[in-house]
Amino acid sequence: ATEGYSAAAVSMAKKNLDEHELMEREIRRLARKQKIKIPSELKPEHEALLDELRKTPEQYFDKNYARIL
């Protein structure tokens, strides 16, 4: 799945994903504790960014990923 992508981009993406998953778990825990409902779907602008990344040709992915972050 990571074939053709630079090691730096893969590392950055993994770190970003790990941090987001940790934050999401903590936010959900706090929201449950405070009885706050949080959205279960991405905002439209974030969904658009994800779609853009999914459509990015492999040779441009690293630059596009770094630009979006």
Side-chain angles (χ1 to χ4, degrees):
T2 59
E3 206 171 292
Y5 302 109
S6 73
V10 171
S11 176
M12 184 170 62
K14 180 173 178 4
K15 181 180 177 194
N16 191 307
L17 180 61
D18 290 346
E19 289 174 353
H20 276 80
E21 287 175 345
L22 182 64
M23 286 186 289
E24 181 183 7
R25 282 193 301 272
E26 181 64 9
I27 288 168
R28 289 190 183 284
R29 183 187 70 78
L30 292 171
R32 276 192 307 273
K33 186 177 179 180
Q34 296 296 318
K35 296 180 172 67
I36 298 170
K37 185 178 178 184
I38 57 174
S40 60
E41 296 180 10
L42 291 174
K43 291 181 177 182
E45 61 267 25
H46 295 149
E47 190 68 47
L49 290 172
L50 186 56
D51 284 345
E52 182 181 337
L53 282 175
R54 286 182 176 136
K55 294 174 185 173
T56 300
E58 189 175 297
Q59 68 269 28
Y60 303 116
F61 185 87
D62 293 2
K63 283 185 180 181
N64 202 23
Y65 180 76
R67 180 188 60 78
I68 287 173
L69 288 184

